[in-house]
Amino acid sequence: MNIFLFGAQGAGKSTIGKYLAGKLKVPFIATGDIFRQLREEDSETGRRVKSLYDRGGLSPDDLTMQIVNKRINESDTEKGFILDGAPRNLVQEGLMSKQPDLIIMVSLSETEALKRMLDRGRVDDTEEGIKKRLGWYKEKVTPVIELYKNRGVKFFEVDNTPAEAEVEKVLDGLFEN
């Protein structure tokens, strides 16, 4: 099963994605993790990614999808995967090599998301950069979610405000059928 996670940055997609990956025994693929690793590399791509992240920006669609498609087509994804961080807009969606079987929307208030991101202490998590990314998310990602809904992809929204154990119970219920 291919599960695409959506939700604003700081909503807790990684925590949920890792939990589901363990439960379903499929890989958790987070584009943010991939790009954080890339920006540490002393390569042209690494320097390009570092420059974008340092300004609070996102990588170009073609570069993002080249990396995402390569990863989601590796041998460990034959039984599915949990994807966090793509597609982030309709252009990226058009470049996806695999489609979702399920969309999970992770919701959290913007105030709580901002607090959680500032608390995690990443170099690209400045208040200005976070607010810029949250605004961009609303504008660009919402149409992707609506496209998948219109295509009839199964959709589930989970509120990630409660304690982690409570959220996990809700997710467990989703996969008991």
Side-chain angles (χ1 to χ4, degrees):
M1 174 180 282
N2 300 339
I3 300 173
F4 289 16
L5 296 177
F6 287 98
Q9 291 187 339
K13 296 182 303 292
S14 291
T15 301
I16 287 173
K18 290 172 186 174
Y19 174 75
L20 289 174
K23 180 177 181 60
L24 302 173
K25 296 178 178 40
V26 297
F28 172 63
I29 302 167
T31 60
D33 292 344
I34 294 169
F35 281 97
R36 276 185 288 282
Q37 290 171 353
L38 280 171
R39 84 168 180 224
E40 298 301 319
E41 290 181 8
D42 186 20
S43 65
E44 183 178 336
T45 302
R47 287 186 294 276
R48 185 174 174 197
V49 168
K50 182 177 180 358
S51 174
L52 289 164
Y53 268 69
D54 287 350
R55 293 191 316 261
L58 299 169
S59 74
D61 296 331
D62 58 341
L63 176 62
T64 297
M65 296 317 299
Q66 176 186 355
I67 292 166
V68 169
N69 285 328
K70 179 180 178 196
R71 177 63 188 98
I72 66 175
N73 285 293
E74 290 179 4
S75 62
D76 65 339
T77 66
E78 286 179 11
K79 294 182 181 177
F81 54 86
I82 313 290
L83 180 62
D84 168 15
R88 291 182 181 247
N89 59 46
L90 293 172
V91 172
Q92 288 184 5
E93 195 288 322
L95 298 171
M96 287 294 306
S97 64
K98 292 186 177 179
Q99 294 296 301
D101 299 303
L102 171 65
I103 298 294
I104 296 180
M105 176 70 180
V106 181
S107 61
L108 188 69
S109 74
E110 189 169 316
T111 302
E112 183 62 20
L114 179 63
K115 179 187 175 300
R116 288 182 185 184
M117 285 194 289
L118 289 172
D119 287 348
R120 68 187 182 185
R122 290 184 187 158
V123 74
D124 57 316
D125 282 345
T126 63
E127 188 167 343
E128 180 183 331
I130 292 166
K131 287 182 177 179
K132 179 179 177 181
R133 293 191 308 264
L134 290 172
W136 184 92
Y137 174 84
K138 289 177 188 174
E139 177 186 337
K140 300 292 185 180
V141 179
T142 302
V144 176
I145 295 167
E146 292 304 313
L147 175 73
Y148 287 136
K149 284 181 176 179
N150 291 337
R151 287 183 182 165
V153 175
K154 187 176 176 184
F155 179 86
F156 181 77
E157 185 167 355
V158 61
D159 177 8
N160 203 25
T161 305
E164 195 172 320
E166 291 179 50
V167 174
E168 289 174 356
K169 285 180 188 176
V170 170
L171 294 168
D172 289 346
L174 180 62
F175 293 97
E176 286 178 357
N177 298 334

